[in-house]
Amino acid sequence: MKNTEIVIKLTPDEALVLSDWLEQVQMTDLSQLVDDAAVWAPLHRIAGTLDKSLPGLFADDYAERLEAARRRLRPGPNDDTNDHEGSDAWNPSRKCPTAR
C-alpha cells in the first residue's frame, strides 16, 4: 500500500462542532469509549489539526459561535437526512458495516 495521506474536508461549522466534541471525548476516560489504543493516535491528530485550524477557540464568544454552528448543522423538522451536501454525508439511519 502506498504511503499517502487521507484528506478530509470540513466546513468551518463542522470543524468547530467536531473539535468541541473531540475535546469532550479526550477529557473522558478514552479506554471506556475506545477499546483499541491504536485509535487514540488518529483521534489526537485530528483534534490537534482542528485546534490549529480554528482561530476562535479561545474567543470570548466561543460558546455562542459553537451553539450557532450546532444550530446550522442540525437538520430542520422538514429536512430529509439524505439531502445533505455530498453523497458521503453521514446518515444516522445507515448501519455501519464495521460496527460491532
Side-chain angles (χ1 to χ4, degrees):
M1 180 175 173
K2 257 170 126 175
N3 187 11
T4 59
E5 290 186 341
I6 304 296
V7 176
I8 299 171
K9 294 182 180 183
L10 300 171
T11 67
D13 284 348
E14 291 168 334
L16 183 61
V17 170
L18 180 58
S19 174
D20 184 74
W21 181 81
L22 284 170
E23 177 66 24
Q24 291 177 41
V25 168
Q26 289 177 321
M27 298 304 286
T28 65
D29 182 3
L30 284 178
S31 65
Q32 292 181 9
L33 180 64
V34 179
D35 64 349
D36 182 354
V39 176
W40 299 358
L43 284 176
H44 290 303
R45 184 171 184 181
I46 291 168
T49 300
L50 289 171
D51 288 352
K52 292 178 200 168
S53 303
L54 294 167
L57 282 180
F58 300 104
D60 291 339
D61 64 344
Y62 172 78
E64 292 84 13
R65 290 181 190 201
L66 177 61
E67 188 51 40
R70 286 178 173 157
R71 276 193 309 271
R72 289 188 291 269
L73 290 174
R74 287 186 187 114
N78 297 323
D79 290 350
D80 182 357
T81 57
N82 294 324
D83 288 343
H84 289 283
E85 183 179 321
S87 60
D88 59 347
W90 180 76
N91 179 343
S93 64
R94 267 190 285 182
K95 301 288 184 212
C96 177
T98 59
R100 295 180 205 200

